[in-house]
């Protein structure tokens, strides 16, 4: 009887479990040096309510998670997309030599991704601005 | 009464001058007013409370913090306004309205542009209302009032047609706005196709034929968008971008299909109901605000790297007065660092290397730019920094349109490193927000500078710097801080704690050169900025590496034997174990007769309990 009751409770709880949450990664930004590794992951979770979260992963430290506004999340995502396109597609001055790229940060937003190079000074610095905005959330 | 005060003041000044040591750096520095309010302070047992809190427990420096924050904001806004004036705008608000209008975006009203919802930053679009959003909402309610009444199949079909026409017109109107941000338009296109293709049950292909065709061309679209974006600097880009968006308008996603055996009439009724909620104006606000943001971000980037803004910031944040003061402090801190290096170094060759590294350690200061470092921006007509020609450390701070470098209450010591072919020398960077304190509390700027120099030979740096055998030199000091009777230092905090220790030593050494009557307050003033650190840095301080502020102040600085002497405290703190190297700068200076003043011994402060 007890087993039946337990089974009933478990089944009831399962039936009342939260609806499946659909998570979409809107943006990841990986900043890595010899000493540091910071990754920001911006996610949109949709169940009954839509929620945006920003996770900061740091090498050797516990992950930090913050809930951010839809407005803020959209703003970071669109900034990152523009930076990725500037990094990937804006025409560079012709140069005879091989182009060097020392990766500053890797940005991924949906199908768009780019390793932003230190050598692309303007985009690298704009990416620094974006990282700082996300850092501000913690 | 007045005469009495004057005589007292005269005597105080005369006596103070008499006690001043010839190499006294701090003698001319003003004490911040908060430090002259003595109150029931007990610096010997509770340095944190004495330095940071009012007698009623409130924070002592909240007004100073507010002043500093608004000063930093004002500097950035004024720099931006200087550049906008060059473009012919009278105010930032006019510029925002004008530039958005030029891009085809009208703000709902001038009042809306001044709205407090923009957090007093006229450059923010948060809380602004756009005319297009209102027009869409008005248009939609107009359509709804014009919908023919009745339930016949023809009438329902007419209503469905009106909704679809409204949607089509909305898309046409939005083309100009989407064209402002092609990367994100393509991102939007992608997400619509992913939603459609991944949810065939929700979005039946038979009801979304135009979407099926649209999504089948996505690679072609992507190719054209990239080709287009590569011409982003050209004069005809905005026209081409608008043509592109008009060529590929995203069809409306419909979430219904005719059921088997369902009459057309019944299907139309269901479709009308679905369109009632699907055809709305939410997309307009998203698209317009995203476009507006792209326009303003692009403008801000140009403004902050423009010659008028850069010149203003250099004049304001890096003034020659601040430079002179910082140079004087640097010379002093460097000399003290060299003394420590000679005494702490594990052997003569390490001592020599440490001393030489301190001589080469630079405190970064921008050198400024020449006219040839700028290039004319075709869109704004402004002369803007040309990043391809410039050193990243010099120009980088201006290339971040958020101007974060000017807003962080921070300083750092960067070891030598290489990025590609660029070599960045070992340097200390005192960020402008920190330098703002130069007038209000040079004591604290000194403490920070000393702390940053301390990082050059902190336990984390010694290996990288090649200082052999230094672990053994620090083992007792580090063990002391790890002790639970001290601050119970955690793993990873060694560098920061050591640097605080160095700062304490140097503060004590310099405060010792002041007349005894000033020492206690000067020592507390040097620490006061640590109180502000926590609230000014918001939640950005990485407490992992820094012990909490209270422990830094009371447990490291307040338990430092040399600093305790300057605070007039007898013996060790009852709360925190005293930690220090066997020899302090004070001891070293005491051994050197040239550095002692005869009055020091006589006037050693009374002990405060």
């Amino acid at each position: 009887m007890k087993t039946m009751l337990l089974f009933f409770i478990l089944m009831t709880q399962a039936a009342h479990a939260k609806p499946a949450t659909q998570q979409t990664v809107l943006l990841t930004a990986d900043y890595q040096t010899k000493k540091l590794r910071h990754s920001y992951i911006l996610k949109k979770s949709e169940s009954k309510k839509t929620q945006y979260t920003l996770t900061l992963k740091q090498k050797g430290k516990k992950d930090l998670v913050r809930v951010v506004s839809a407005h803020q999340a959209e703003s970071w995502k669109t900034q990152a997309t523009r930076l990725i396109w500037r990094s990937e597609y804006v025409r560079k001055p012709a140069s005879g030599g091989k182009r060097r790229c020392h990766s500053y940060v890797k940005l991924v937003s949906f199908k768009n991704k780019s390793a932003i190079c230190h050598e692309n000074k303007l985009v690298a610095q704009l990416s620094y601005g974006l990282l700082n905005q996300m850092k501000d959330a913690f | 009464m007045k005469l009495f005060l004057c005589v007292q003041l005269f005597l105080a000044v005369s006596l103070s001058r008499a006690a001043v040591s010839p190499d006294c750096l701090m003698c001319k520095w003003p004490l911040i007013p908060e430090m002259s309010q003595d109150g029931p302070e007990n610096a010997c047992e509770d340095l944190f409370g004495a330095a940071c809190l009012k007698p009623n427990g409130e924070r002592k420096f909240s007004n100073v913090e507010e002043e500093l924050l608004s000063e930093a904001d004002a500097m950035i806004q004024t720099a931006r306004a200087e550049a906008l004036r060059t473009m012919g705008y009278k105010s930032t608000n006019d510029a925002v309205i004008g530039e958005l209008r030029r891009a085809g975006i009208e703000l709902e009203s001038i009042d809306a542009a001044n709205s407090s919802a923009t957090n007093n930053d006229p450059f923010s679009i948060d809380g602004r209302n756009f005319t297009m959003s209102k027009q869409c909402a008005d248009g939609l309610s107009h359509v709804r009032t014009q919908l023919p009444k009745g339930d016949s199949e023809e009438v329902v079909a007419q209503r469905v047609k009106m909704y679809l026409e409204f949607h089509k017109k909305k898309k046409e109107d939005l083309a100009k706005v989407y064209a402002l941000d092609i990367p994100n338009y393509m991102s939007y296109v992608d997400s619509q196709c992913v939603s459609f293709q991944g949810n065939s049950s929700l979005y039946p292909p038979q009801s979304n034929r135009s979407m099926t065709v649209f999504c089948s061309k996505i690679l072609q679209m992507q190719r054209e968008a990239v080709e287009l974006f590569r011409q982003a600097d050209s004069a005809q880009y905005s026209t081409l971008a608008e043509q592109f968006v008009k060529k590929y308008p995203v069809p409306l996603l419909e979430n219904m299909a005719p059921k088997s055996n369902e009459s057309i009439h019944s299907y139309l009724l269901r479709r009308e109901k679905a369109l009632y909620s699907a055809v709305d104006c939410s997309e307009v606000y998203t698209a317009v605000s995203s476009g507006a943001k792209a326009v303003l971000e692009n403008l801000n980037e140009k403004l902050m790297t423009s010659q008028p803004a850069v010149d203003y910031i250099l004049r304001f944040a890096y003034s020659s007065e601040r430079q002179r003061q910082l140079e004087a402090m640097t010379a002093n801190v460097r000399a003290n660092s060299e003394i420590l290096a000679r005494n702490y170094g594990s052997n003569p060759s390490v001592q020599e290397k440490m001393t030489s590294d301190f001589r080469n350690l630079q405190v970064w200061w921008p050198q400024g730019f020449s006219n040839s470092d700028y290039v004319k921006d075709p869109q704004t007509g402004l002369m803007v920094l040309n990043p391809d020609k410039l050193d990243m450390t010099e120009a980088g701070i201006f290339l971040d349109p958020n101007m974060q470098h000017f807003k962080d209450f921070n300083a750092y010591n960067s070891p030598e490193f290489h990025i590609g072919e660029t070599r960045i020398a070992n340097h200390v960077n005192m960020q402008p927000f920190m330098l703002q304190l130069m007038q209000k509390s040079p004591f604290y700027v000194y403490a920070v500078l000393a702390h940053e120099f301390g990082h050059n030979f902190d336990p984390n740096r010694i290996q990288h710097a090649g200082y052999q055998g230094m672990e053994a030199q620090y083992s007792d000091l580090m063990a002391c801080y790890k002790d639970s009777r001290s601050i119970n230092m955690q793993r990873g905090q060694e560098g920061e704690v050591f640097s605080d220790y160095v700062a304490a030593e140097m503060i004590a050494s310099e405060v010792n050169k002041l007349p005894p009557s000033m020492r206690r307050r000067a020592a507390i003033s040097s620490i006061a900025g640590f109180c502000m650190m926590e609230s000014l840095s918001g939640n950005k301080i990485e407490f992992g590496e820094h012990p909490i502020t209270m422990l830094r102040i009371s447990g490291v600085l307040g338990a430092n034997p040399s600093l305790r002497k300057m605070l007039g405290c007898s013996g060790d703190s009852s709360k925190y174990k005293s930690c220090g190297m066997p020899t302090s700068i004070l001891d070293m200076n005491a051994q050197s007769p040239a550095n002692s003043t005869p009055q020091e011994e006589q006037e050693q402060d009374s002990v405060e309990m």
Side-chain angles (χ1 to χ4, degrees), chain A residues 61 71 75 78-79 81-82 85-86 89-90 100 102 111 118 121-122 125-126 128-129 132-133 136 138, chain B residues 126 181 183-184 190 230 293-294 297 301 387 390 392 396 399-402 404 419-421 539-540:
Chain A
K61 292 183 184 172
H71 178 79
S75 169
T78 53
Q79 274 186 63
T81 305
R82 284 194 284 273
W85 276 58
R86 280 173 84 164
Y89 306 131
V90 169
R100 285 167 172 269
H102 292 85
K111 290 179 186 170
H118 267 291
K121 292 176 184 176
L122 180 56
Q125 204 59 29
L126 293 170
Y128 163 79
N132 258 318
Q133 288 173 48
D136 258 2
F138 294 93
Chain B
D126 300 351
D181 190 0
N184 281 298
D190 260 340
R230 284 161 61 84
K293 227 169 193 180
E297 262 176 37
E301 188 185 311
L390 294 168
M392 187 83 158
L399 295 179
D400 163 22
N402 300 309
Q404 205 61 42
I419 306 170
E421 288 161 2
N539 40 22
K540 282 191 289 179

Side-chain angles (χ1 to χ4, degrees), chain B residues 61 409 437 441 444 524-534:
Chain B
F61 299 101
F409 189 66
L437 269 176
S441 178
Y444 178 60
I524 299 177
S525 290
S526 307
I527 288 150
F530 286 91
C531 316
M532 295 181 230
M533 181 73 95
E534 203 167 330

Side-chain angles (χ1 to χ4, degrees), chain B residues 536-549:
Chain B
L536 282 175
S537 308
N539 40 22
K540 282 191 289 179
I541 294 182
E542 290 171 39
F543 281 111
E545 289 173 14
H546 298 85
I548 60 166
T549 311

Side-chain angles (χ1 to χ4, degrees), chain B residues 401-417:
Chain B
N402 300 309
M403 305 302 273
Q404 205 61 42
H405 180 77
F406 299 89
K407 295 178 188 169
D408 283 343
F409 189 66
N410 209 352
Y412 58 86
N413 178 323
S414 170
E416 180 184 323
F417 68 103

Side-chain angles (χ1 to χ4, degrees), chain B residues 459-473:
Chain B
N460 296 336
R461 194 70 74 81
I462 47 180
Q463 205 175 356
H464 176 86
Y467 302 151
Q468 307 295 329
M470 288 300 289
E471 287 88 349
Q473 297 289 100

Side-chain angles (χ1 to χ4, degrees), chain B residues 223-296:
Chain B
R223 197 173 63 85
E224 284 182 39
V226 169
E227 282 306 317
L228 172 69
F229 194 73
R230 284 161 61 84
Q231 303 172 54
D233 287 335
S234 71
Q236 69 274 26
Y237 174 73
S238 53
T239 314
L240 294 173
E242 194 175 338
Q243 283 169 6
F244 171 79
V245 177
K246 281 185 171 160
K247 184 178 170 188
Y248 296 112
V250 183
L252 180 70
L253 259 180
E254 292 199 57
N255 60 357
M256 81 168 41
K259 293 175 185 166
S260 55
N261 302 327
E262 186 183 25
S263 70
I264 291 176
H265 188 196
S266 157
Y267 167 65
L268 283 172
L269 279 169
R270 284 198 305 119
R271 193 175 181 207
E272 184 201 0
K273 203 176 164 191
L275 286 172
Y276 181 84
S277 41
V279 175
D280 69 1
C281 293
S282 58
E283 180 194 349
V284 178
Y285 181 79
T286 312
V288 179
S289 60
S290 172
K293 227 169 193 180
V295 169
L296 294 183

